[in-house]
Amino acid sequence: MSTNTSSSIPSAGSGRRVLHTDDPSEFLAETRISLKQAPTDCLILLGHGGHSGHEVVPVVTTSSLSDLFADDRMTHLHTLLGMLLDKGMTRGAAMLVLGDGYEEIAPDLVEDITILSASRLLLTASSLLPDPFPLDAVWVVGNSEGRRVLLGSPDGDGERILVSPPRPLRDFAETRAAAGEVYTGRLVPLRGDRRAAVGRLEAVPRSLRLERTGLAARCDPGTLFAEARGALGRLQASSRGPEAPGFVTDCERVASLLSAVAVDRLHWELLAQCVDLGNAATINREELLQLLVRDGSWRPHEDVCAGGSWYEALSTLREIARGAMTELPIAQRGIAREAWRGLTAMLVILSWWNHRFSTGGCFVDELWEREPESSLAPLLARMTDTPIFPAWWPST
């Protein structure tokens, strides 16, 4: 299982500067745009340079909300806040997101988290670190409302916690942040759009024909991946399913890619090609992880970051492989399972390379749950949970 140091920061090349922390709707929307995913059941921490006079690129990190209730929660908060201090941040803001911020949550739960978790965070930031880390704003959002939590002047019994009246959350599409994305051409799809596109692939897993790829096969997984990406685009764009022209041919392209990445050597080669993308050199396949840990010149291209075309295609192919594990004849299910495992490992490493340790940890949890005896899961878990940091940092 993922541990308390899991976190995420904006993808490379995003160029985002998270602002408007005085408005919970904008704070939540900017985080969603920066991380290219809707924050859910998590703590968001934004670190910036305050008014120190030198330029520091803001860093946003998310961590599972459950970590705030773990036995070593104080260590967890120290780790997150210390990481921001180490990167030159001098102050910040925070938000605790219940559900996705909009879905219905029990009022008692909202109140408990508002008082207990938000106050714990404030007190830790202000007094428990060797170097205080002022939080300009701490929000708790749930039930389509946001409440701001502040430290009041101490009274005779200790610290006072002040909670503002609830403030309605505007829908993501109604925020200035979303409008800015439209203006610049970087629109983040609404979740309903993504669900509709994924729903159009429902017939694909049972329409595949997977064949065992030989260990010595000379196929290029990069070429197969390019063909599969094109096929996915056509399959997602059509609402006709199996009746669409080219459906069978496109399923064959998807099947060829899945059959290839079921082989360890080939999914590792595809991962290496993801690392090569946008970099001047070709990475040594035998030392790929070691180089990413010690050489900061290797930086992820935006296409292999969350929201990028390659990353999203790998995520979609992984879901198709998951469906094929139950939809296909028994003889092909083992291939689908191996393809799912290979794609999961790739996404863990790409998430880790983007400093998205929480996302990578979720993938590892799925791998461990489905394959408790996995020899791969412990290695991947160590990378995301400890965490072992990639050599590059988005603010450099």
Side-chain angles (χ1 to χ4, degrees), residues 272-290:
Q273 292 187 29
C274 289
V275 173
D276 290 342
L277 184 65
N279 286 290
T282 298
I283 198 163
N284 184 315
R285 273 52 175 162
E286 300 298 324
E287 295 186 299
L288 187 150
L289 289 180
Q290 295 93 318

Side-chain angles (χ1 to χ4, degrees), residues 99-225:
D100 65 359
Y102 296 91
E103 63 191 77
E104 186 174 348
I105 303 291
D108 290 347
L109 178 60
V110 175
E111 183 176 351
D112 288 346
I113 290 180
T114 298
I115 299 299
L116 297 177
S117 297
S119 60
R120 180 182 299 134
L121 177 61
L122 275 167
L123 291 169
T124 300
S126 66
S127 61
L128 297 184
L129 281 171
D131 300 305
F133 188 82
L135 291 175
D136 303 318
V138 175
W139 293 94
V140 178
V141 295
N143 286 332
S144 297
E145 295 178 334
R147 292 171 173 80
R148 190 167 186 170
V149 184
L150 302 168
L151 284 178
S153 301
D155 58 23
D157 297 325
E159 300 286 353
R160 287 197 305 154
I161 303 298
L162 306 179
V163 181
S164 73
R167 183 170 175 174
L169 281 183
R170 301 189 306 283
D171 186 73
F172 172 76
E174 298 174 357
T175 61
R176 285 175 291 169
E181 293 300 284
V182 174
Y183 180 76
T184 59
R186 296 192 302 261
L187 180 63
V188 175
L190 301 179
R191 281 191 288 175
D193 297 336
R194 181 174 177 82
R195 281 197 299 266
V198 172
R200 295 186 187 116
L201 301 176
E202 186 177 5
V204 173
R206 59 177 173 269
S207 304
L208 300 177
R209 181 178 176 182
L210 301 183
E211 297 180 353
R212 182 69 62 182
T213 300
L215 295 178
R218 300 180 64 85
C219 59
D220 176 12
T223 299
L224 297 178
F225 183 44

Side-chain angles (χ1 to χ4, degrees), residues 205-206 208-212 321 323-338:
R206 59 177 173 269
L208 300 177
R209 181 178 176 182
L210 301 183
E211 297 180 353
R212 182 69 62 182
M325 290 161 59
T326 56
E327 296 280 355
L328 291 182
I330 293 177
Q332 299 180 50
R333 291 180 187 177
I335 303 173
R337 186 187 192 98
E338 290 160 12

